[in-house]
Amino acid sequence: MLYRPMIYKTFFMSLIINNCKKKTCAVFIFDGFADHEISLTTAWLGGKGTEFAIETFSTNGQPVTSMSGIRIMPHTSLKIMEPEDFDLLLLPGGDRWKEGDNLEIFPLINATIGKKPIAAISGATLALGDLGLLNGIPHTSNFPGFLKHYCPDYAGEHLYQTMACVNSGNIITANGVAPTGNPATNFRCPDNSRITEP
């Protein structure tokens, strides 16, 4: 059993460390989100000695359960999120994207485009496809035909790349088929300058 004062000390130390970091990666989490798809990326971005603090948010700020069954309390709620609050928006995959759910995140995605980088992994690329954001830029997803199957209005087949990760400036897409891939190594700012160093 942990000694209670040590729990408090650990909690406050984490707050201090995060507050000293210069950038924020906002991660949208929801019931069934694919935690394995973002584990390497979040560890790489938010680890000790990095510039990024990882902040999670759910639709209403309530706890969610990941695909692997881990119960997670988010830092905040989608309701109060604005592009000015973060430096990178990270969207993990999960079956809810294929079911046509998570529509509540669409306004934030639209508000973020052109202002901050957005990284979508696996099923989360469907949100970008639904919004028409992949029709004019190189991108990837789980496999050829995946986007068109779930997004009838998707018209970017000619720009689809069969790669683990594709960086198109302020939109980064990655598939969920290469779990050892790390999209973080391809993150860049809208001005095409790399926001992190590998």
Side-chain angles (χ1 to χ4, degrees):
M1 182 175 179
L2 290 175
Y3 184 51
R4 190 171 296 275
M6 182 59 70
I7 296 176
Y8 293 148
K9 180 179 179 181
T10 303
F11 174 72
F12 285 115
M13 283 302 294
S14 67
L15 287 180
I16 292 171
I17 291 172
N18 279 344
N19 286 337
C20 289
K21 294 194 174 185
K22 298 178 181 179
K23 298 178 181 178
T24 299
C25 172
V27 184
F28 178 51
I29 60 175
F30 49 90
D31 283 326
F33 81 92
D35 45 343
H36 64 284
E37 291 179 352
I38 61 170
S39 58
L40 180 60
T41 298
T42 53
W44 193 88
L45 282 175
K48 185 178 180 181
T50 67
E51 288 188 301
F52 277 86
I54 305 297
E55 292 192 5
T56 57
F57 66 97
S58 64
T59 298
N60 53 15
Q62 296 300 307
V64 301
T65 302
S66 71
M67 185 180 288
S68 64
I70 298 176
R71 191 73 168 163
I72 300 174
M73 171 62 80
H75 293 85
T76 188
S77 166
L78 168 63
K79 298 175 182 178
I80 61 172
M81 292 295 289
E82 301 288 345
E84 294 73 21
D85 297 327
F86 52 81
D87 300 281
L88 169 67
L89 179 60
L90 179 57
L91 307 174
D95 289 340
R96 292 191 62 173
W97 300 108
K98 293 188 292 185
E99 295 164 359
D101 293 332
N102 293 338
L103 299 179
E104 64 275 9
I105 191 70
F106 282 24
L108 181 61
I109 294 174
N110 275 328
T112 303
I113 288 295
K115 297 178 181 177
K116 304 290 175 65
I118 298 176
I121 304 175
S122 186
T125 60
L126 296 177
L128 305 187
D130 276 333
L131 291 170
L133 300 175
L134 302 180
N135 292 340
I137 63 170
H139 59 276
T140 191
S141 188
N142 285 349
F143 53 84
F146 179 75
L147 288 161
K148 189 64 176 180
H149 179 76
Y150 291 100
C151 308
D153 294 330
Y154 164 73
E157 296 97 332
H158 61 296
L159 293 170
Y160 185 89
Q161 309 285 311
T162 306
M163 299 173 63
C165 182
V166 174
N167 177 347
S168 293
N170 62 347
I171 293 180
I172 303 102
T173 50
N175 67 39
V177 185
T180 57
N182 184 2
T185 60
N186 284 296
F187 289 164
R188 293 178 181 270
C189 294
D191 64 1
N192 208 37
S193 60
R194 192 176 293 275
I195 62 174
T196 57
E197 291 299 330

